[in-house]
Amino acid sequence: MGTTASQLAKDSLSEYQELTFLTKQEILLAHRRFTELLDRDERNHPNPRVPMEVILTLPELKSNPFKTRICQVFSTSEDKDGSLTFEDFLDLLSAFSDSATLEIKSHYAFRIFDFDDDGTLDYGDLEKLVNCLTGETEDTRLTSEEMRQLISNILDESDIDKDGTVNLSEFQHVISRSPDFVSSFKIVL
Amino acid sequence: MPGDTLITSENDTDIELDFAGVEDFQENHKREKHNGKRRNGDRQENKRENQRRKRSSKSVQGIREESQSKTERRERSRRRKGKAEHETSGHEGNKRERDQTRAKSTKSKKNIKNEKTRKLEGKEDGEAQEKSEKGKLKLVCTKNEEKIESGDQLKEKEKALGVKKKKKRRKKVVETSSEPETSEDGDDEEEVNNDGEVRPELLSPEELEKLKEAVDEKKKLIQSLRGKPWPMKQKLVTLRESQLFVEKYEGALGKGKGRKLYAYKVMMTKKWMKFQRDFENFKTACIPWEMKIKEIESHFGSSVASYFIFLRWMYGINMILFSLTFGLVMVPEVLQFLNLNCTFILFIALYIYFILQVRLILLCTFFEQALMGRPYGSIPRKTVPRAEEAGAMDFAVLWDFGGYAQYSVLFYGYYNNQRAIGWFKFRMPLSYFLVGVGTVAYSYMVVIRTMARNANESGIGDDNSFNFSWKMFTSWDYLIGNPETADNKFASITTSFKEAILEEQESRKDDNIHLTRFLRVLANFLVLCCLAGSGYLIYFVVRRSQKFALDGLENHTWWERNEVNMVMSLLGMFCPMLFDVISTLENYHPRVALQWQLGRIFALFLGNLYTFIIALMDAINLKRKEEKVVKYNITMWEATLYNGTGSENSTAPPITIHPADVPRGPCWETMVGQEFVRLIISDTMTTYITLLIGDFLRAVLVRFLNHCWCWDLEAGFPSYSEFDVSGNVLGLIFNQGMIWMGAFYAPCLPALNLLRLHVSMYLQCWAVMCCNVPQERVFKASGSNNFYMAMLLVILFLSTLPAIYTIVTIPPSFDCGPFSGKNRMFDVIQETLESDFPAWFSKVFSYASNPGLVLPFILLMVLAIYYLQSTSKSYKEANVELKKKLQMQNEENKKKNKQAALKAQMDLEEAKKSASQTAEHQRNNNDSVQRQEDDEEIDNKNQRMYHGRNPSPSVGNREPHFPVRDPGPRNAHNGNHGNPRYLPGFHQQSEPRMCRVPSLERH
């Protein structure tokens, strides 16, 4: 894999170090893992895009219930198919890295939970979120009564302005007090 | 040329400001393409604005206007960013015509401007981001403050300011909003500044200062760039531009000598940054077992991994303890022992690598001469006595740390009491004492520091006000990469949801509370019995072993010799299981049950350890009695010896006696050290064996017997074992406690522990990966981190107690160890003070240690503690008070908003009409208008939209409309969608800004 190291120019490597929370080794590792996902002919492409299905085969993401959301949030693709370039991939890893700030982690967490991309977590978003968290199987799913109760409790707690939705600042307010958000919102290659 | 571009870009900014509304309008349509990023950006903007407001609310209102207008502009430019190419609508074109005098060749300028604005916006964001970290929590609070201030005043001020606004160029925005006062006066200067940036010699000092500020801002931006939730492309562009800017204008700063110095400084900071980054990379590369832990993390989640991280942390601490004892105590004492071999090998090497080796030899001999204790066999304490010599190399003896191991550098007794050794006059006894103290002090420091850091990280997390939200938003462990663990996690999250709902419903059915109570009391009684029983057993065994020891160990079986350690290890193994069974009686919630279980195991271990110590104290007393007898015998023996050799002692000293033949005292310190080392060894062995049998063998059996068994072994009774995080952590903590306790008497203990931790790291990693299944209930790691740390601190304290007690109260043995011949061990300090320091120093020291000084000092400390505690209490109270206030204001805001919404309902119709008309004007694309409306969620956006829809040609007319209409569209809009989405504080915000805009547009 000597060629992959040389593919990542020294300048851009240092720029990536400047712009992400990743160390040099992590960026190189990310690059290696990323190029492994590419086909042989795609590697010569200047700025290749890996489709979401391929990204999701990564063991780090495979069993994550939010995997498609994560890809969609970090994708800069025009047609919203969740495909990632290497830079998007680095963005992803940076946000999920150990040293990323609470600020940036909570920002991306909010976007991941915001399933319909409308900028707030409304009832539908929260419902989807609960379903993601409880798994897709029938025996773990909550009943609609439980779901209603749960969501109304959540809104009671975190919806400060009582508009029926949780917006980013409310979300960050809640998250910033959580003891284990930063330690669990992590993906390491 | 650069100067030219600057000027034009400036003009461009003017246009931009005029058109901001229009562009924003169009912008809104395109936002969809960007995956909702922009919307989020808006919201963030809002938040930042709040912080801005908060800051400004402290100073005069005028200043607030300033910052608001800036924020506004920044927002606009942000919206516009990257959109310049699309701004081709006819309406816009008309507008531009107005300013055509200033704006030449629009297209090219647009590009420049885009770059500039992006930079600006980035910079502003940077500031805001920094501030936002501090002010986030106060967000809502400050908004309310704002509200109290009257809107009229704001408007007046604004008009006054508005006249000046047109002059403000992009340079203005560059300035930090923290110094808005100066920015206004600096308007004109800045324009000049823009001209002069290429000709630094023309700049006045003030301008230079400004430029410097700008450059510093850029640098700050570069640093804070990574903390921004932007896509990489945007970050890259911003980075490159800011770097270009910095490089371009950095050179312009400073004149003559100052310039060179500045350039040098800049270069050095660059190099320093690079070095820091490399060092950071190096440091992360040095952290051991990172990949292993990561693998475990992905399989078992963060809680199991937290054990391994704890293990690694422990390893680091032991590494430092080891290097302390090794470097300052063991090496100086042992070097002489290596003396012969070392020089021999080196002399051979000398012939081969002459030049290279000369230095090494010099170094080696230097060390030998500089620090050296006396070699093995030179004095009685360093020699195996004649009686034990025969079996001194037997494995059984060595395994028990007798024989040669006992008379080695590993134990206290080996060390000589020679005050200073070698050329360096290395104070061996002093060093021994100080290392002992330093070990404990360092451990205290590290543990407390870690605890404080943990508390900082999670200290705020103790309030339960967001119980549900945390379960919802933070319960997923993103590290989990194993489907099985993920399934378990799903299940545990579901149960936790259900539990929480049940608890919330308060439907706690108390089924026969008397029975539960009775069972709980019974369980506790049983546990107490267990504890007492185990304590007695250990006491009994230790006493018995002393009897055996008096008889001589050779006459007893292996079991009898190792009874104490085995019994302790077995108790430590089986009692927790017993407790587990007993705790099923109690019917506690699993988390509570876990805490009880941990507490009981803790009590068990502690009880065992302390019984062990008490029994050891008895042994020490026995040894000391023995010592008295031996001492008396020795004086008799010496007397007879001298009498035998003759009357003239001076001419013929008794050199003929081999050190091995000299009668010896029992040396209780070595005995204590040996006991601890044996304990550690047997503990380690039991841990490893339990691991092999309990985990590995079980897994193997379950796996391979499953084919030919009557029930499903994997799913049924034995199944695979889970990794017991809490039990393992407790084991580790107690192990460390024993190290701290025994390290003074057996300097080898940290080294042994290092070995043990190293092995268990690999062994447990392997065992976990190959034979454990993910936990049924996945607990979070972080919650218990400080719990474990607190336990470690307690253990540290409890283990230093007996060590300090023995050091202070019991006189050291007369013929072994570094303190032999002294009355107490700490006398070594006094000795050093008297002989190695000038007289005045010891005098000062004696004054300082005078109770008259010490007591007031202690009093002072107590007072300080009391003061700090009471202040922290008052802070807490203030916190609660603030929280209450916050809630009250929230409710108030709600009421107000409701009223405003009602009132706005009427205005809505009107606003909509006009909006749709103008919108059609601008764009034939009605769909996007609709979409835009749907998107609107916060008022600042409403704001922009409003302008976008009302580009009324009569500028003068517009002004009166705004204040009247202003709350209308916003609230109406929100009302329209059924769910008004704004934070309480944003309500107020919009008003001043509303007024700001017209004043800008007028020009």
Side-chain angles (χ1 to χ4, degrees), chain A:
Chain A
M1 292 263 87
T3 51
T4 52
S6 60
Q7 272 173 12
L8 203 57
K10 214 174 174 189
D11 288 352
S12 52
L13 185 62
S14 78
E15 272 173 352
Y16 289 146
Q17 280 185 68
E18 194 74 61
L19 294 177
T20 62
F21 292 99
L22 305 170
T23 61
K24 192 170 151 192
Q25 294 98 318
E26 284 167 329
I27 292 171
L28 287 175
L29 176 67
H31 191 251
R32 210 175 63 220
R33 294 290 295 275
F34 190 78
T35 31
E36 278 166 15
L37 295 175
L38 290 170
D39 294 335
R40 197 150 290 282
D41 49 328
E42 274 177 325
R43 288 188 193 175
N44 300 325
H45 199 266
N47 198 10
R49 235 167 223 295
V50 174
M52 181 163 75
E53 295 74 40
V54 183
I55 292 281
L56 295 185
T57 56
L58 282 173
E60 284 78 11
L61 282 173
K62 212 167 51 192
S63 31
N64 196 319
F66 303 109
K67 52 189 174 185
T68 48
R69 278 302 301 162
I70 291 174
C71 280
Q72 278 162 11
V73 163
F74 285 97
S75 170
T76 52
S77 150
E78 292 290 327
D79 34 342
K80 292 170 84 175
D81 57 355
S83 60
L84 299 182
T85 63
F86 177 59
E87 292 181 351
D88 299 339
F89 191 57
L90 275 188
D91 272 334
L92 191 158
L93 291 177
S94 170
F96 279 102
S97 77
D98 221 351
S99 41
T101 56
L102 175 74
E103 197 84 22
I104 200 150
K105 274 178 189 281
S106 55
H107 176 94
Y108 279 113
F110 182 80
R111 298 236 319 250
I112 288 166
F113 296 156
D114 184 11
F115 285 85
D116 52 6
D117 279 331
D118 66 348
T120 57
L121 302 181
D122 49 27
Y123 191 91
D125 288 328
L126 292 175
E127 200 174 340
K128 273 185 195 156
L129 175 57
V130 173
N131 280 338
C132 272
L133 282 175
T134 53
E136 299 302 321
T137 51
E138 281 306 309
D139 53 326
T140 53
R141 211 173 259 280
L142 296 182
T143 64
S144 61
E145 175 58 26
E146 281 170 334
M147 180 77 82
R148 202 189 49 72
Q149 179 85 37
L150 182 65
I151 290 176
S152 75
N153 278 333
I154 286 167
L155 289 178
D156 268 354
E157 282 171 5
S158 39
D159 181 18
I160 296 168
D161 58 1
K162 302 294 174 208
D163 61 353
T165 61
V166 180
N167 60 33
L168 180 63
S169 48
E170 288 164 349
F171 181 78
Q172 286 182 328
H173 177 69
V174 170
I175 287 288
S176 64
R177 285 146 174 259
S178 162
D180 34 32
F181 173 69
V182 173
S183 62
S184 66
F185 197 75
K186 262 198 309 193
I187 291 178
V188 193
L189 269 191

Side-chain angles (χ1 to χ4, degrees), chain B residues 29 126 134 256 335 369 411 430 500 584 615 634 787 796 844 984:
Chain B
H29 300 259
K134 293 173 203 157
L335 252 180
Q369 295 300 318
F411 291 106
L430 182 71
T584 52
I634 284 178
F787 180 64
L796 178 55
V844 168

Side-chain angles (χ1 to χ4, degrees), chain B residues 104-120:
Chain B
K104 307 154 194 170
S105 68
T106 328
K107 202 70 192 170
S108 63
K109 269 177 266 158
K110 279 276 185 225
N111 289 337
I112 300 156
K113 163 213 69 192
N114 270 336
E115 285 179 13
K116 297 284 176 199
T117 43
R118 209 172 306 161
K119 269 193 262 176
L120 296 180

Side-chain angles (χ1 to χ4, degrees), chain B residues 645-664:
Chain B
T645 46
S647 54
E648 62 275 40
N649 284 342
S650 51
T651 50
I655 322 160
T656 45
I657 292 170
H658 192 267
D661 296 324
V662 177
R664 228 78 64 78

